[in-house]
Amino acid sequence: RGDGASTPSRQVQTAIAEEKAIDQLVVVTGTLAAGQEVVLGFKVAGRLAEIPVVLGSSVEKSQPIARLDTTDFELRVRQADAALQQARVRLGLSPEAPDSSVNIENLAIVKQARAEMDAARSRLERARLSFEKGLLPKADFDTTNSGYKVAEARHEDSLDEARNRQALLAQRRSELEIARQQLADTILYAPIGGMIHQRNANVGQYMSAGTPVVTVVQMQPLRLKTAIPERDARMIRMGQPVRVTVEGAPGTHQG
């Protein structure tokens, strides 16, 4: 200063410049999505009798989700079983005998037709001997021969009828299995564990086959879907840590 007073010195700290990494954050907004999402519906049509789950319910794999009224399906099973038993009786099967034990040659219609054919064959042999000896007119021999051919045709028809009964038995067996499967399909099971994301039906509602009843989402693992701005995409690499905060939930999740 002009008066010659000295200026007080300042305390200064010095340091050597160093290179250090600085965290660069890319802040984006995204959506959490489930690993799997399954829309469930019945394979058969019917009236919904029970649906014990609600929106947000937690379910385990193979847990019952909903059930249709089974009255009609139980009646179909009984009807199919009665038709099967009738087909078995027509084949002469006892209640405990397996279906494969059928011998069509032992059926009554086949036995009767074979007996008539054998009798006609015997009459034809006698008629042939008498005709060869000149003791029987040709017209009578031709009549006997025609009777044998008719009996032979009836025997073939009886065999065809027996085979048709066998085929009908197999058909009735399949119809019973289908009826039982449809009865089992009146219960809807969860194919995966998770939570109920949507519920589309209520008790008493008629459900067509395939109509969505509920939607189940798998909660583990969750996947974050987001878009990265082009200007920040060059900084993104595999294996970099991600910190996620969820709106409405406290804390930060590492990923």
Side-chain angles (χ1 to χ4, degrees):
R1 291 183 303 176
D3 56 5
S6 60
T7 300
S9 61
R10 295 180 180 273
Q11 295 293 328
V12 178
Q13 291 183 346
T14 63
I16 300 174
E18 298 181 48
E19 290 186 1
K20 289 185 178 180
I22 299 176
D23 288 342
Q24 289 182 297
L25 297 179
V26 177
V27 181
V28 292
T29 301
T31 303
L32 286 175
Q36 291 189 66
E37 181 174 318
V38 184
V39 180
L40 302 181
F42 287 101
K43 292 172 62 178
V44 294
R47 195 165 302 281
L48 192 60
E50 183 180 357
I51 179 167
V53 296
V54 295
L55 185 65
S57 295
S58 178
V59 295
E60 301 292 333
K61 183 178 181 180
S62 301
Q63 176 182 334
I65 298 294
R67 181 179 62 83
L68 297 177
D69 181 66
T70 60
T71 302
D72 292 343
F73 297 93
E74 291 171 350
L75 290 174
R76 291 171 191 167
V77 169
R78 289 199 290 268
Q79 183 181 28
D81 185 60
L84 173 64
Q85 298 309 319
Q86 183 180 16
R88 287 172 57 85
V89 169
R90 295 193 67 193
L91 284 170
L93 290 172
S94 61
E96 65 279 356
D99 295 350
S100 58
S101 63
V102 176
N103 185 352
I104 61 175
E105 293 292 342
N106 292 330
L107 292 182
I109 57 172
V110 177
K111 286 183 177 180
Q112 180 180 355
R114 186 171 60 246
E116 292 176 355
M117 183 183 67
D118 292 341
R121 182 186 294 113
S122 297
R123 289 193 297 269
L124 178 60
E125 291 300 325
R126 291 194 299 269
R128 179 179 289 108
L129 292 175
S130 299
F131 176 70
E132 292 175 352
K133 293 179 180 180
L135 301 177
L136 184 70
K138 188 175 186 306
D140 293 342
F141 173 77
D142 291 340
T143 300
T144 305
N145 189 29
S146 298
Y148 170 71
K149 290 180 179 180
V150 170
E152 189 177 35
R154 288 175 179 171
H155 179 252
E156 291 296 328
D157 289 342
S158 69
L159 291 175
D160 290 340
E161 173 63 19
R163 296 186 187 99
N164 288 336
R165 292 184 184 183
Q166 273 189 310
L168 182 62
L169 175 62
Q171 178 182 342
R172 294 290 183 254
R173 176 68 65 185
S174 297
E175 290 172 352
L176 177 59
E177 294 301 323
I178 292 173
R180 287 174 174 170
Q181 183 59 53
Q182 289 179 338
L183 176 60
D185 289 337
T186 57
I187 301 178
L188 188 63
Y189 296 95
I192 60 173
M195 295 185 66
I196 301 299
H197 176 58
Q198 286 185 352
R199 171 174 155 167
N200 308 99
N202 295 300
V203 172
Q205 183 175 345
Y206 183 84
M207 308 300 300
S208 300
T211 301
V213 178
V214 296
T215 301
V216 180
V217 295
Q218 186 183 50
M219 302 305 296
Q220 295 292 340
L222 289 176
R223 300 185 183 278
L224 175 63
K225 294 183 178 181
T226 185
I228 305 297
E230 185 177 354
R231 64 179 180 273
D232 297 323
R234 59 186 177 82
M235 296 186 294
I236 304 300
R237 300 288 184 273
M238 292 288 293
Q240 288 179 333
V242 177
R243 295 192 296 272
V244 180
T245 58
V246 181
E247 183 178 354
T252 301
H253 306 275
Q254 302 297 323

